[in-house]
Amino acid sequence: MHDGHGRIFDPAARRWTRTALAAWGEPVPPRRALDWLQRDSGTPLRAPVAVIGTRTPTAAQVAAAVAMGRLLAEHKVTVLCGGRSGVMEEVCRGVAEAGGLSIGLLPDDEPEAANPYVTVPLATGIGVARNALIARAACCLVAIGGGYGTLSEIAFALQFKRPVFLLEGAPAVDGGRVCSDAEAALDAVARVILAL
Amino acid sequence: MHDGHGRIFDPAARRWTRTALAAWGEPVPPRRALDWLQRDSGTPLRAPVAVIGTRTPTAAQVAAAVAMGRLLAEHKVTVLCGGRSGVMEEVCRGVAEAGGLSIGLLPDDEPEAANPYVTVPLATGIGVARNALIARAACCLVAIGGGYGTLSEIAFALQFKRPVFLLEGAPAVDGGRVCSDAEAALDAVARVILAL
Amino acid sequence: MHDGHGRIFDPAARRWTRTALAAWGEPVPPRRALDWLQRDSGTPLRAPVAVIGTRTPTAAQVAAAVAMGRLLAEHKVTVLCGGRSGVMEEVCRGVAEAGGLSIGLLPDDEPEAANPYVTVPLATGIGVARNALIARAACCLVAIGGGYGTLSEIAFALQFKRPVFLLEGAPAVDGGRVCSDAEAALDAVARVILAL
Amino acid sequence: MHDGHGRIFDPAARRWTRTALAAWGEPVPPRRALDWLQRDSGTPLRAPVAVIGTRTPTAAQVAAAVAMGRLLAEHKVTVLCGGRSGVMEEVCRGVAEAGGLSIGLLPDDEPEAANPYVTVPLATGIGVARNALIARAACCLVAIGGGYGTLSEIAFALQFKRPVFLLEGAPAVDGGRVCSDAEAALDAVARVILAL
C-alpha cells in the first residue's frame, strides 16, 4: 500500500517509509486501506479501539453507538468497552450484529454483570478504576455522550497520548476531536490506525 | 443435552435441571459436550479460561502450554493470559495454530510489549497487580510451572472460588488440583464449564 | 458543639442532630470547629483530604500549595497526594513545615520515587491508575492548577461524590467549586468535614 | 552509628559505608539502632512495614498481632495493613495503644469500612487487588496466620523482593522466614530496615 507520494506502508510497524518507487494506481480512502490492513496484510492492528459513553443514552446516542459498533466490526477492528449498559451495551449490540469481537472490561467481580452482547466479558473486580485500563489498552477512543466516568476515561486517554473522538455531546475536553457522526469517527479511527 | 440421569443442561445459566423426561441416547464425554456448548448451543461460555505459568519454561512446560492453547482453541474457548513470554507466549502460540482467540492482559503501558501470538493485547499499565484481574476474569485457571507471580494468581483464584488446575510443576497450593497433562486439564476445564 | 440553631454535632457520625436545648454561647467559625473536632472531640476525621495539581506550578501555584499544606496540617488534617513533584511536593513541604502528616500514593514501584517532604510514601506500582485511588480515599479534594492527570482525579472525585475545590487555574469541571485562595479552600474543607 | 567493624550507617541511604575510623564504643542491638534511626537520626524510615494475616485469628494470633503493632509503634515505625477485621484490626489496636500510626488500605469504596483502630483509612475501591499494593508499599511484611488472601500478599511481596516474616501459622512459602514470636519478628524487621 502506498500513499501516492512515494511512501509505502509497513503494516507491522504501522509506519510510512519513503521509497524510490514512482507512485502508481489510484489512491484509496482510509477505510478501504483499513480493510486491507485488517483482512489482507497479515499484520492487522491487534490493540482494540475503545467506545465509551453515557449509561443513559438518548435515541441519537443509541443510534451512534450501534452504528459505531457495526462499522468497527465490519472493518475487523476489536472493540473495547466497559461491558455494562447504555452506550456500552449498544456498541456491543452493533458489533454483534456485524459478527465482530467486543471485549467488556467490567468493574464487577463476576462476568454475569456484562450486557448480553459482549463477546468476551472480563470481570476486573477493581470498580471504576478500570476506566484507567480502558484508556490505556485502546489505541484510540470514541466517546458518545457521557458524564464524570466518561470524562475520567477521556482525561486518562489524552494523558496516555491516545486520540479521542467525541460524538453526540461527549464531554468537550481540549485535545479531543469532535466528529459529526459514526462514519466520520470511523474515518478518524482509520487514519489513526494507518498513522496518516 | 442431558446427563443420562434425567437432568438437562441449560446452556444460558450453565446449570443442570431435573426433568421428567426419560433419559435417551448415549452419554457424551465432557469435551464433546463442551464442543456442543461452544459451537451449537447458541449460548457458549463467554468468560475466558486463563493459562498462567513460568516465564522460563522447560521443554515439557513449553509442550504443555502449546498443547493447552491448541486444545482450548479447538473447543472454541477464549484463552486469557499475561501476554508476555514463556508459558504466556507458548499458550498463545498454540491458540494461534488452532485459529483461536487469546487475550493478553499486559502489565505494561503499551501493547507492543505483547508476544507476537496474542490475538488481542490489553495494556493495563498497572504492573503485576494485573495478576488479580487475570484470576478474577477467568472462569477457571490452568497453571504450568511458575514462581511467585504464578503463586499470587493461584492464591487470588482460589480466594475468588475459581478452580485451579496444576500442570508440570505449578506451585502446589491446597485447593488446586494436579492434572497429569494438557488433555486431562482440558477434561477438568470442560467439567467446570459444564458445571459437572 | 452546637450551631446556634438548636442542633448539636455528633463527631463520630459527623452529623448534626436537632436538640431541645436552647442555643447558647457564641457561634464559632468553621475552622475553629474543625480544630475542636481534630484535637479535642476524641473522634477526629480520619480519612485524608487530597491536594492534587500540576507538576509544573507557577509561583502562585507553589504559594497556594504550600499554604494549603500548612493550613491543613495546622488543623491536624491528614493530607493525601500523589507523592511526586510540583504541587504534590509543595503541599508536602507545607505539611512538613507545620509538623503534619502527608501520605504520598506513588505511581512507582519503589518509595524512593517520593519527594523528600512526604511523611509516608506508599509505592503502589500501578502507574497513574492510582489517580482513581486518590479520589476514592479522600473525603474531599483541593486542586491547584493541573492538566489531564488532575482532570482524571477531579472526574473520579465527582463520580464518587467527593467535593472538589478548585484553586489557581485548576481544570474547571461542572460540579467543582472555585475558591479564591488557600484560606477560602480551608473554610470549604472545614464545612465538608463538619457536614455544614 | 557504626557496626564495630569499621563501617558507619548512612541513615538517608540506609546503607553501610566502610570508614577508616577505628571502631569505638559498645555495639547496640538492632532495635536500639532502630530507635536511633526513627527518633534521632533525622532521616527515619518513611515507608511502612506491613502486618497481614487471617480475618479469623486464634487467641495466639490476636496476641501476636497486638504485640506486633505495639512493638512497631514503640519504635516509631508506621504500620500498613488491610484496614479490616481480624489480624488487621488487632495490629491496629496494638499500634493505637502505643500511640503510633497505622494506615489501612481498604478494599472498599468508603472509609467507614475501616476497623475503629486504624489511624488513617484509605478506601481504594479496587477490592482485594489492593493486596498487590500492600506488598508493594511495604519495606517488609509480617504475616500472622492467614489464608488465600494472605498467600497472595506473601507471593507478591517475595516477587517484589520484600522480606516476609511468618508468625503463628502463616502460609509457609519458600523465601519467607519463620519467626518464633513478635519480639523475634521485630528484630528481623529492624535488621531489614538497618540493612544488616
Side-chain angles (χ1 to χ4, degrees):
Chain A
M1 192 167 70
H2 69 95
D3 68 352
H5 301 292
R7 297 189 313 163
I8 55 170
F9 188 67
D10 174 353
R14 291 200 290 126
R15 236 194 312 256
W16 293 89
T17 317
R18 187 150 296 281
T19 161
L21 291 176
W24 72 101
E26 289 297 299
V28 297
R31 60 173 71 189
R32 276 234 333 259
L34 179 58
D35 267 343
W36 168 80
L37 183 70
Q38 295 299 93
R39 291 172 198 270
D40 306 318
S41 72
T43 51
L45 170 76
R46 302 186 295 154
V49 168
V51 180
I52 61 177
T54 177
R55 271 161 302 175
T56 53
T58 63
Q61 289 166 337
V62 166
V66 173
M68 199 70 240
R70 211 182 290 131
L71 284 168
L72 289 166
E74 284 169 2
H75 291 81
K76 303 288 177 209
V77 176
T78 297
V79 170
L80 182 66
C81 74
R84 300 290 297 269
S85 60
V87 160
M88 300 176 259
E89 178 160 350
E90 301 303 333
V91 71
C92 290
R93 196 152 60 88
V95 169
E97 286 172 11
L101 172 62
S102 66
I103 297 176
L105 220 47
L106 295 161
D108 310 87
D109 285 354
E110 299 296 335
E112 284 73 20
N115 72 61
Y117 304 106
V118 173
T119 317
V120 182
L122 298 178
T124 68
I126 62 168
V128 295
R130 69 83 154 83
N131 289 7
L133 279 62
I134 291 175
R136 186 65 95 177
C139 76
C140 61
L141 297 87
V142 178
I144 300 173
Y148 292 134
T150 303
L151 179 58
S152 73
E153 291 167 312
I154 294 174
F156 273 128
L158 293 171
Q159 189 175 19
F160 301 154
K161 311 224 180 291
R162 270 57 166 164
V164 178
F165 305 109
L166 308 171
L167 275 180
E168 294 291 338
V173 178
D174 267 3
R177 225 180 80 202
V178 177
C179 292
S180 54
D181 59 14
E183 297 278 346
L186 179 72
D187 282 339
V189 166
R191 296 181 74 87
V192 168
I193 295 174
L194 295 163
L196 285 171
Chain B
M1 191 167 70
H2 68 97
D3 68 351
H5 301 292
R7 296 190 314 163
I8 57 169
F9 188 67
D10 173 355
R14 292 200 289 124
R15 237 194 313 255
W16 292 89
T17 317
R18 185 151 300 279
T19 162
L21 292 176
W24 72 101
E26 289 297 300
V28 297
R31 59 173 73 190
R32 273 230 341 255
L34 178 59
D35 266 343
W36 167 80
L37 182 70
Q38 295 299 93
R39 290 170 199 270
D40 305 317
S41 72
T43 52
L45 170 76
R46 303 187 295 154
V49 168
V51 179
I52 61 177
T54 178
R55 270 162 303 176
T56 53
T58 62
Q61 289 165 336
V62 166
V66 173
M68 200 69 240
R70 210 183 291 133
L71 284 168
L72 288 166
E74 284 169 2
H75 291 81
K76 302 289 178 208
V77 175
T78 297
V79 170
L80 181 66
C81 75
R84 299 290 297 268
S85 60
V87 160
M88 299 177 259
E89 178 160 351
E90 301 303 334
V91 72
C92 290
R93 197 152 61 89
V95 170
E97 286 172 9
L101 172 63
S102 66
I103 296 175
L105 220 45
L106 295 161
D108 310 88
D109 285 354
E110 300 296 335
E112 285 73 19
N115 73 59
Y117 304 106
V118 173
T119 317
V120 182
L122 297 178
T124 68
I126 63 168
V128 296
R130 68 82 154 85
N131 289 7
L133 279 63
I134 291 175
R136 185 66 95 176
C139 76
C140 60
L141 296 88
V142 179
I144 301 173
Y148 293 134
T150 303
L151 180 58
S152 72
E153 292 167 312
I154 294 173
F156 273 127
L158 293 170
Q159 190 175 17
F160 301 154
K161 312 230 180 286
R162 269 57 166 165
V164 178
F165 305 109
L166 308 170
L167 276 180
E168 294 290 340
V173 178
D174 267 3
R177 221 179 83 202
V178 177
C179 292
S180 53
D181 58 16
E183 297 278 346
L186 179 72
D187 282 338
V189 166
R191 296 182 74 87
V192 168
I193 295 175
L194 296 164
L196 285 169
Chain C
M1 191 167 70
H2 69 98
D3 68 352
H5 301 291
R7 297 190 313 163
I8 56 169
F9 189 67
D10 173 355
R14 294 200 286 125
R15 236 193 316 252
W16 293 89
T17 318
R18 187 151 295 280
T19 162
L21 291 175
W24 72 100
E26 289 297 301
V28 296
R31 61 173 71 191
R32 274 231 337 258
L34 179 59
D35 266 343
W36 169 79
L37 183 71
Q38 295 299 92
R39 291 172 198 270
D40 305 318
S41 72
T43 52
L45 170 76
R46 302 186 295 154
V49 168
V51 180
I52 61 177
T54 177
R55 271 161 302 175
T56 53
T58 62
Q61 289 166 337
V62 166
V66 173
M68 199 70 241
R70 211 182 290 132
L71 284 167
L72 289 166
E74 284 169 1
H75 291 80
K76 303 289 176 207
V77 175
T78 297
V79 170
L80 182 66
C81 74
R84 300 290 296 270
S85 60
V87 159
M88 300 176 258
E89 179 161 349
E90 302 302 334
V91 70
C92 290
R93 197 151 61 87
V95 169
E97 285 172 11
L101 172 63
S102 66
I103 296 176
L105 220 46
L106 295 161
D108 310 87
D109 285 354
E110 299 295 335
E112 284 72 19
N115 73 59
Y117 304 106
V118 174
T119 317
V120 182
L122 298 178
T124 68
I126 63 168
V128 296
R130 68 84 153 83
N131 290 7
L133 280 62
I134 291 175
R136 186 64 95 177
C139 75
C140 60
L141 296 88
V142 179
I144 300 173
Y148 292 134
T150 304
L151 180 58
S152 73
E153 292 167 313
I154 294 173
F156 273 128
L158 293 170
Q159 191 175 17
F160 301 154
K161 311 226 181 287
R162 271 55 167 166
V164 178
F165 305 110
L166 308 171
L167 275 180
E168 294 290 338
V173 179
D174 267 2
R177 224 179 81 202
V178 176
C179 293
S180 54
D181 60 13
E183 297 277 346
L186 179 72
D187 282 338
V189 166
R191 296 181 74 86
V192 168
I193 295 175
L194 295 164
L196 285 170
Chain D
M1 191 166 73
H2 69 96
D3 69 351
H5 301 293
R7 297 190 313 164
I8 56 170
F9 188 67
D10 174 355
R14 292 200 289 127
R15 236 195 315 255
W16 292 89
T17 318
R18 187 149 297 280
T19 162
L21 292 176
W24 71 101
E26 290 297 300
V28 297
R31 58 173 72 190
R32 269 221 354 247
L34 178 59
D35 267 343
W36 168 80
L37 182 71
Q38 295 300 91
R39 290 171 198 269
D40 306 317
S41 71
T43 51
L45 170 75
R46 303 187 294 154
V49 168
V51 180
I52 60 178
T54 178
R55 271 162 302 175
T56 53
T58 62
Q61 289 166 336
V62 166
V66 173
M68 200 69 240
R70 211 183 289 132
L71 284 167
L72 289 166
E74 285 169 0
H75 291 80
K76 304 289 177 207
V77 175
T78 297
V79 170
L80 182 66
C81 75
R84 299 291 296 269
S85 60
V87 159
M88 299 176 258
E89 178 161 351
E90 302 302 334
V91 70
C92 290
R93 198 152 60 89
V95 170
E97 287 172 9
L101 172 63
S102 66
I103 296 176
L105 220 46
L106 296 161
D108 310 86
D109 285 354
E110 300 295 334
E112 284 72 21
N115 73 60
Y117 304 106
V118 173
T119 317
V120 182
L122 298 178
T124 69
I126 62 168
V128 296
R130 67 82 153 87
N131 289 6
L133 279 62
I134 291 175
R136 187 64 95 177
C139 75
C140 60
L141 296 89
V142 178
I144 301 173
Y148 292 134
T150 304
L151 180 58
S152 73
E153 292 167 312
I154 293 173
F156 273 128
L158 293 170
Q159 191 175 17
F160 301 154
K161 311 225 180 290
R162 270 54 167 168
V164 178
F165 305 109
L166 308 170
L167 276 180
E168 294 289 339
V173 178
D174 267 3
R177 225 179 79 203
V178 177
C179 291
S180 54
D181 59 15
E183 297 277 346
L186 179 72
D187 282 338
V189 167
R191 296 181 74 86
V192 168
I193 295 175
L194 295 164
L196 285 170

